[in-house]
Amino acid sequence: MWRTPCLTLLQQAATYIYTQRSVSLCQSQRLGNSTTDPSAQLKLVQVVFRHGARSPLTKRYWEGQEWDVCGKAFEPVKLEIRSLDGGEQPVSGHDQAQRNIKLPGGCHKGELTKLGQQQAREVGEWLRQRYVQDLSFLPAQYEDGAVSGRTTNFSRTIATLQGVLTGLYPQVAQPIPVATASDIDEIMFANVLSCERLADVMKRARYELRESREKDEHAMQLQQKVKDVLGDKSDDSIAFLDLHDAMTVIKSHNKKLPEGMTEDLLMDINREASKRMIALVAPGIELSHREELLKLSMGRMFDSVVQRMRQCADGESKHQMYMYSGHDTTIMPLLATLGQDIATWPPYVSNVIFEMWESQKDGKKQEYVKVLVNGKEVDLPDMLPGHVCTLESFQNAFWKTFIVTEEERQEACTLTFEHEQPAASGGDSLSGF
């Protein structure tokens, strides 16, 4: 059974999934004490998760390591991967570029390792325990349409979704249909390919980040401490995002860390890298570009999550469970908008579950939302007994200012502005690590 990672300040959220089937499967199950009404019924589950452990994405800070941790950890269920409109799986230039790089030891760049596959299957086993065995919400055997899966078009997120589905339904013989988007159409991370305005906003965010870190005394002290440990005598600055990537991958796979790389130093690196990434994908309320960045980067996903709940409440849902296989940069913005403190980087297979419950009182329906992070219920503002808040409160309290439709985003993305300061270089989509 999947064990919840020991996280102090990590709490996460969100979910988006492709649906194509015509069957109406908004079924329900009773669970006492879920809301103020003990007769409340579970109606819909949406699950968002980060991919499992992988090989490095960075080219530095791991010199001398052999990446011999890839291959098949078990026989997974088969997938039928289609585009969002039901056509053939689109080709991802980003994924191909990573897959074309082979690392010492045999792994490809960013490849899901055997450990990552096992982590994904354990998440699926946890989902089976809760939603099949404990709550009898999902059917015991796989049925077409019960679960809908969407993944970003990266090999590691596809393999992670495959592992989760294997844990949930290990005896499936036929391929399970899942969907993915083209690089330009992806909505599960800050995608600048389809939004000139977002690229401009993120350039400004990079510039402000660079300015702030250069004035941060703690960051400068940490940089010197790291350079001493690594024996780095150059004048180059430490790339903390790359360093965190390398150290995390090394430690996760029981490889040898650099001499002097203590647990305390690893945590300091984690926090510094997290600050830098959060500033780019999940900025705090003190930053002027927060609302626009989150709206243009994640607003369509927020809208999709809420619309799935609305459809279910209206009896129009086609699936009982939606899965979204994404990245840390999928999780971070969602946590930020839910008011959660992101002090450290979301570990591999970090996940957020949105449950929608429904109660009946005096002939009137009321929908409630419960959020679980890595298997544990999360306290949210305006919460009622049972770790729930109404659907209206959930939407208005957290995502109202960020939700955007495809049409609204297209209009906003054509806007540009003049920089008061020179923009930092780089405008790549932040698909994550």
Side-chain angles (χ1 to χ4, degrees), residues 346-361:
Y348 298 128
V349 295
S350 293
N351 60 88
V352 181
I353 299 174
F354 291 99
E355 295 180 349
M356 194 188 82
W357 295 77
E358 184 180 273
S359 67
Q360 292 274 356
K361 188 174 183 180

Side-chain angles (χ1 to χ4, degrees), residues 210-227 237-238 240 272 276:
R210 186 181 65 186
E211 291 284 290
S212 66
R213 302 325 287 168
E214 288 177 351
K215 301 173 183 177
D216 188 312
E217 184 176 345
H218 173 75
M220 299 304 292
Q221 292 175 349
L222 177 60
Q223 178 163 240
Q224 188 57 54
K225 187 183 298 186
V226 170
K227 287 174 77 72
S237 298
I238 293 295
F240 278 99
E272 181 60 29
R276 297 180 182 221

Side-chain angles (χ1 to χ4, degrees), residues 27-290:
Q27 298 182 0
S28 59
Q29 277 297 325
R30 298 181 183 275
L31 181 66
N33 301 321
S34 295
T35 67
T36 51
D37 182 356
S39 65
Q41 297 179 320
L42 179 59
K43 304 288 287 184
L44 182 69
V45 177
Q46 299 187 75
V47 187
V48 187
F49 43 85
R50 184 193 176 193
H51 57 75
R54 52 153 177 78
S55 61
L57 287 174
T58 180
K59 298 184 292 186
R60 46 186 169 175
Y61 303 123
W62 54 262
E63 291 83 353
Q65 301 283 356
E66 290 287 319
W67 298 109
D68 53 359
V69 291
C70 298
K72 187 179 291 187
F74 53 82
E75 192 62 41
V77 299
K78 294 180 176 60
L79 300 182
E80 180 186 349
I81 306 172
R82 312 297 291 180
S83 65
L84 297 181
D85 60 6
E88 293 185 1
Q89 177 185 359
V91 175
S92 170
H94 295 317
D95 186 57
Q96 280 192 332
Q98 293 179 8
R99 294 285 297 168
N100 286 339
I101 299 175
K102 193 169 185 178
L103 306 177
C107 287
H108 295 270
K109 179 180 178 180
E111 183 177 355
L112 196 73
T113 63
K114 293 178 181 178
L115 172 62
Q117 297 167 48
Q118 293 164 350
Q119 291 171 331
R121 183 170 63 177
E122 288 171 2
V123 172
E125 290 170 348
W126 186 91
L127 293 174
R128 181 172 180 83
Q129 179 67 43
R130 179 171 177 81
Y131 297 109
V132 175
Q133 299 178 4
D134 294 347
L135 301 183
S136 300
F137 178 67
L138 291 174
Q141 303 299 321
Y142 175 78
E143 296 177 6
D144 289 343
V147 178
S148 175
R150 172 170 177 166
T151 174
T152 62
N153 202 9
F154 285 81
S155 298
R156 60 182 173 276
T157 52
I158 293 171
T160 298
L161 177 58
Q162 191 172 25
V164 173
L165 287 168
T166 301
L168 179 59
Y169 287 115
Q171 305 299 325
V172 180
Q174 76 269 30
I176 298 177
V178 300
T180 190
S182 64
D183 289 345
I184 199 171
D185 292 324
E186 188 53 71
I187 69 171
M188 293 174 65
F189 51 75
N191 190 352
V192 302
L193 293 178
S194 59
C195 189
E196 181 180 356
R197 174 70 172 184
L198 178 59
D200 219 1
V201 173
M202 295 193 73
K203 285 180 181 179
R204 171 175 285 187
R206 284 186 173 93
Y207 175 80
E208 293 178 355
L209 172 63
R210 186 181 65 186
E211 291 284 290
S212 66
R213 302 325 287 168
E214 288 177 351
K215 301 173 183 177
D216 188 312
E217 184 176 345
H218 173 75
M220 299 304 292
Q221 292 175 349
L222 177 60
Q223 178 163 240
Q224 188 57 54
K225 187 183 298 186
V226 170
K227 287 174 77 72
D228 290 343
V229 168
L230 297 179
D232 185 351
K233 305 297 185 181
S234 73
D235 295 330
D236 297 336
S237 298
I238 293 295
F240 278 99
L241 296 182
D242 287 350
L243 178 63
H244 173 260
D245 175 35
M247 295 302 103
T248 300
V249 176
I250 290 171
K251 184 180 179 183
S252 298
H253 295 92
N254 296 317
K255 301 290 185 179
K256 183 176 176 56
L257 290 163
E259 194 72 28
M261 188 63 68
T262 65
E263 288 295 326
D264 287 344
L265 185 54
L266 285 171
M267 182 53 68
D268 286 341
I269 293 169
N270 185 319
R271 292 193 180 102
E272 181 60 29
S274 298
K275 286 180 184 178
R276 297 180 182 221
M277 181 59 81
I278 289 166
L280 296 177
V281 301
I285 58 176
E286 73 279 2
L287 297 178
S288 60
H289 59 270
R290 167 184 167 87

